[in-house]
Amino acid sequence: MKQIQRISLFLQKPFFSDYRTLFGLWFLLPVIATLLKLSKHNNFLIFRYVFWHTIEQTSLYAPYPEYWDTNHYGPFFSLVITPFAVFPVQWGLLFWLVSLSLFLYIAIRKLPFPDKKRIFIYWFCAHELLTALFMPQFNIAIAAIIIATFYCIEKEKDIWAAFFIMLGTFVKLYGIVGLAFSFSQNIKESSYCH
């Protein structure tokens, strides 16, 4: 029991609830993932070649020797991956993973929760973030897009909410989940009128 109390006291130190610490951690995780996955980053190669195959006007869905899987993303994704596809693979992978991590970090920071809850979310999600970074998945961005959509709808930034819904939907169908927030907002507004 004393060990649990010691751990609890240790974790209550200001260092662990400082947003600079969390930002540093969430910036460091993609760097670690990049260094550990330099030789195994097939998902990123698939993403990268969506851009190059779109430019070359070749099939996006045919099997290619550059990677050992097939692509499931459409031509719109080539716009999203462009800034990362034009760099050498290692640098593109690093910038891709850092961008995904920071996008989710910013989205969580915008949640209308007290600091304690947000800090808990950062610590709780850090391991899952690292797991997704090891697979260079776009799902990190989908989570950020859904959170950003929620934030924009809550703040009545309808154009931005629509942008995030469309971005998420055009890249990966899961982004359409953001529409649920607009329905709930409409229900909430209609209940105020009665």
Side-chain angles (χ1 to χ4, degrees):
M1 194 62 155
K2 285 190 176 192
Q3 285 181 330
I4 293 173
Q5 289 173 339
R6 285 183 193 165
I7 292 170
S8 179
L9 285 173
F10 179 74
L11 293 176
Q12 289 176 13
K13 293 185 185 239
F15 174 80
F16 293 105
S17 60
D18 189 332
Y19 280 111
R20 293 173 295 187
T21 302
L22 294 163
F23 181 82
L25 173 67
W26 278 53
F27 187 83
L28 185 61
L29 291 176
V31 173
I32 292 169
T34 301
L35 293 173
L36 293 176
K37 291 295 183 172
L38 278 179
S39 62
K40 295 181 180 179
H41 50 271
N42 196 56
N43 281 351
F44 179 70
L45 290 177
I46 293 170
F47 297 162
R48 185 175 193 269
Y49 279 102
V50 168
F51 169 75
W52 291 111
H53 293 311
T54 300
I55 294 295
E56 296 163 358
Q57 296 182 358
T58 57
S59 173
L60 297 178
Y61 308 104
Y64 286 97
E66 294 93 348
Y67 45 85
W68 42 267
D69 202 348
T70 56
N71 170 43
H72 301 282
Y73 293 85
F76 183 80
F77 184 70
S78 67
L79 296 173
V80 174
I81 199 69
T82 297
F84 312 100
V86 296
F87 284 101
V89 175
Q90 290 80 8
W91 287 105
L93 176 63
L94 174 64
F95 296 146
W96 172 249
L97 295 181
V98 167
S99 297
L100 290 173
S101 183
L102 294 182
F103 185 25
L104 185 56
Y105 178 89
I106 292 166
I108 292 170
R109 186 73 191 254
K110 296 288 185 182
L111 285 171
F113 297 156
D115 281 345
K116 273 189 162 186
K117 285 186 180 180
R118 254 187 268 128
I119 288 166
F120 174 79
I121 290 170
Y122 284 125
W123 284 111
F124 187 78
C125 293
H127 179 266
E128 292 306 317
L129 172 66
L130 185 60
T131 301
L133 290 168
F134 280 148
M135 303 292 289
Q137 296 179 346
F138 189 72
N139 295 347
I140 301 165
I142 290 295
I145 286 169
I146 291 170
I147 294 169
T149 302
F150 171 76
Y151 169 78
C152 291
I153 289 172
E154 285 293 307
K155 296 293 181 181
E156 298 181 2
K157 297 180 179 188
D158 297 334
I159 293 173
W160 281 107
F163 167 78
F164 284 119
I165 291 169
M166 296 304 292
L167 174 66
T169 304
F170 283 162
V171 172
K172 200 168 187 175
L173 191 58
Y174 304 131
I176 205 160
V177 168
L179 281 176
F181 300 128
S182 63
F183 296 133
S184 67
Q185 184 68 14
N186 289 340
I187 292 169
K188 190 163 62 172
E189 286 173 3
S190 67
S191 67
Y192 290 136
C193 295
H194 290 81

